[in-house]
């Protein structure tokens, strides 16, 4: 999934960054990369972690790496139902789901638009560590302080607020409407977005430059009723 995503993006770069001969190499590599594999879990089509494997050596869920960081599956993209099935029904994904250390489950949930799950896991990620310094999380899989813990927590929090796909900007794709928030974040194409949500209503929404307004899709649950 990483090679598929990176090579495809390399072929899309303008000629001043990537020559035609290099693009030909990348396109030939793309033709050689095996496709993502699938399997059935509880009667549902799910993403498989590999075509074949003998044993599981760790507690990761590589079958969801096509969701994050590689973005092959996600909101507004084909196959979202398959990725959600993987989250729900793959026995290893369910077994390994956690918030400690570098675990990415809060990010997966946000990328899949699973608001309740993303909120729960992110709160657990970013809660007070119980130590003298609240952000000294750990030990998790490593030591204390474990800043991977906070890093993955912050990524998940931002993914709950904003996600992008090329020109498209999805706002509040996994944000609980009862959570008040004031944020200002960067998006691709030299874009910044500032918003205030209070009591389920968007009180302020500033998009710069304004020409990018046409690319914004607001997904807050209560927005359509305002």
């Amino acid at each position: 999934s990483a090679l598929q995503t990176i090579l495809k993006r390399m072929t899309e770069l303008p000629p001043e960054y990537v020559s035609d001969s290099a693009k030909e190499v990348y396109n030939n590599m793309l033709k050689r990369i095996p496709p993502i594999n699938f399997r059935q879990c509880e009667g549902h089509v799910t993403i498989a972690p590999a075509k074949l494997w003998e044993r599981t050596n760790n507690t990761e869920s590589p079958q969801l790496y096509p969701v994050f960081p590689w973005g092959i599956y996600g909101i507004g993209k084909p196959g979202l139902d398959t990725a959600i099935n993987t989250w729900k029904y793959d026995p290893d994904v369910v077994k390994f789901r956690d918030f400690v250390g570098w675990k990415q489950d809060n990010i997966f949930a946000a990328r899949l638009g699973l608001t309740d799950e993303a909120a729960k896991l992110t709160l657990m990620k970013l809660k007070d560590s119980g130590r003298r310094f609240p952000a000294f999380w750990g030990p998790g899989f490593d030591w204390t302080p474990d800043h991977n813990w906070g890093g993955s927590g912050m990524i998940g929090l931002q993914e709950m607020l904003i996600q992008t796909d090329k020109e498209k900007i999805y706002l509040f794709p996994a944000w609980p409407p009862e959570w008040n928030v004031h944020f200002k974040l960067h998006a691709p194409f030299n874009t910044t977005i500032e918003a205030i949500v209070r009591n389920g209503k968007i009180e302020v929404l500033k998009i710069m430059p304004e020409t990018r307004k046409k690319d914004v899709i607001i997904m807050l649950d209560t927005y359509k009723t305002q």
Side-chain angles (χ1 to χ4, degrees):
S1 58
L3 284 170
Q4 285 182 23
T5 298
I6 293 171
L7 289 171
K8 186 173 184 295
R9 291 188 180 182
M10 293 292 287
T11 64
E12 294 171 349
L13 288 171
E16 59 262 34
Y17 296 111
V18 180
S19 66
D20 289 340
S21 59
K23 288 184 180 181
E24 184 178 357
V25 172
Y26 300 148
N27 279 314
N28 287 332
M29 289 179 68
L30 276 168
K31 294 175 184 177
R32 296 166 54 196
I33 297 172
I36 293 173
N37 288 279
F38 303 92
R39 61 175 174 165
Q40 291 276 336
C41 293
E42 297 187 30
H44 301 274
V45 177
T46 64
I47 306 166
K51 187 173 183 178
L52 295 170
W53 63 96
E54 293 183 353
R55 61 190 180 277
T56 302
N57 284 345
N58 54 29
T59 62
E60 298 187 44
S61 298
Q63 50 269 63
L64 286 175
Y65 290 167
V67 175
F68 178 86
W70 303 115
I72 295 174
Y73 300 96
I75 292 169
K77 298 179 180 180
L80 177 60
D81 56 337
T82 300
I84 291 176
N85 286 342
T86 308
W87 168 274
K88 289 183 176 179
Y89 302 111
D90 184 298
D92 289 332
V93 171
V94 174
K95 176 183 177 182
F96 296 150
R97 188 170 301 148
D98 207 339
F99 65 93
V100 302
W102 39 256
K103 285 281 190 175
Q104 301 165 324
D105 297 289
N106 62 313
I107 307 172
F108 296 148
R111 280 281 181 102
L112 296 173
L114 303 174
T115 301
D116 292 343
E117 293 91 332
K120 177 182 176 181
L121 288 163
T122 298
L123 284 174
M124 295 171 76
K125 273 277 192 189
L126 297 177
K127 68 181 180 180
D128 192 312
S129 69
R131 297 182 174 87
R132 178 180 179 185
F133 300 103
F136 270 23
W137 296 285
F141 304 104
D142 299 300
W143 48 72
T144 302
D146 180 359
H147 295 309
N148 292 317
W149 197 306
S152 54
M154 289 188 291
I155 292 172
L157 183 66
Q158 179 164 319
E159 295 287 334
M160 292 169 67
L161 286 167
I162 180 173
Q163 296 177 34
T164 62
D165 180 22
K166 296 182 179 179
E167 288 82 8
K168 292 181 181 178
I169 300 172
Y170 296 96
L171 285 185
F172 312 108
W175 191 258
E178 67 273 15
W179 284 15
N180 296 341
V181 65
H182 181 184
F183 73 87
K184 185 176 183 180
L185 293 170
H186 292 278
F189 305 104
N190 294 316
T191 304
T192 58
I193 296 178
E194 182 177 4
I196 296 175
V197 173
R198 189 175 286 112
N199 300 322
K201 296 181 180 180
I202 299 175
E203 295 185 351
V204 173
L205 180 57
K206 299 178 182 178
I207 301 166
M208 295 298 292
E210 293 188 356
T211 54
R212 292 280 275 143
K213 286 183 178 180
K214 65 181 183 351
D215 301 317
V216 173
I217 301 168
I218 296 175
M219 304 185 70
L220 194 66
D221 288 346
T222 61
Y223 179 72
K224 293 180 180 179
T225 65
Q226 303 307 321

